[in-house]
Amino acid sequence: MDELFTLAVDMADGLHAHEAEVGLTHNTEAMVREALAAAQEAQVAFQTVRSDKTRLTAAQTVADSNARAFLSAARGVLANFLGSTWSQAWQPTGFPNQSTAVPTTAADRQALLSSLQTYFTSHPEHQIEQLSVTAARAEVLFTTLSAPEPPSTPASQPPAPRKPPATPPKPPSATACER
């Protein structure tokens, strides 16, 4: 992209030097420089958003990994109280599909975190602080998995729409060659 911007600068420089003698009215130096500035701003915004996407994807991966670890630990803790295989006693915990397996989808893991927060709040005797298997931890992980991190800077927002370049003047009705 930098090569294209360099060529556009060269083109604007050429227009500066020759547009008057050639009689250009459509693609003037000012119009080219304005369009170039808009393109460069858009490129910066694009690269910023691209960088944010990479950072947010990494944050989401970490949040999901932490959720999986917590759900596995919670399953182990709850097995001491509810038995190692799924039964009706497991129903209030929110483990889906009549299984004690950690859900395979992020949406199901998120739902289970919410359910476990409610369950541990109602059954504080089943929480194990030393293992961080608590309602508070389930809430933190649910929130983090919901939105790992908002964009960090205003630059990561899409740029505001730009006004279109000024309309070029209409060409004269007859050219020098036609007179």
Side-chain angles (χ1 to χ4, degrees), residues 109-120:
R109 287 188 291 277
Q110 188 175 3
L112 182 54
L113 287 167
S114 180
S115 294
L116 286 173
Q117 176 190 358
T118 302
Y119 179 84
F120 286 131

Side-chain angles (χ1 to χ4, degrees), residues 30-54:
M31 294 171 71
V32 169
R33 291 199 190 276
E34 184 178 340
L36 175 60
Q40 288 171 322
E41 287 175 22
Q43 179 66 8
V44 167
F46 170 74
Q47 292 301 337
T48 301
V49 169
R50 188 179 196 187
S51 173
D52 282 349
K53 179 183 182 267
T54 301

Side-chain angles (χ1 to χ4, degrees), residues 39-114:
Q40 288 171 322
E41 287 175 22
Q43 179 66 8
V44 167
F46 170 74
Q47 292 301 337
T48 301
V49 169
R50 188 179 196 187
S51 173
D52 282 349
K53 179 183 182 267
T54 301
R55 183 178 49 77
L56 291 172
T57 299
Q60 183 70 32
T61 300
V62 169
D64 191 46
S65 177
N66 290 340
R68 286 177 196 249
F70 172 83
L71 294 172
S72 291
R75 178 184 57 207
V77 166
L78 291 171
N80 292 323
F81 299 102
L82 307 174
S84 60
T85 59
W86 195 92
S87 67
Q88 284 298 96
W90 281 86
Q91 188 71 38
T93 66
F95 274 86
N97 305 320
Q98 297 183 348
S99 170
T100 62
V102 172
T104 57
T105 67
D108 286 345
R109 287 188 291 277
Q110 188 175 3
L112 182 54
L113 287 167
S114 180

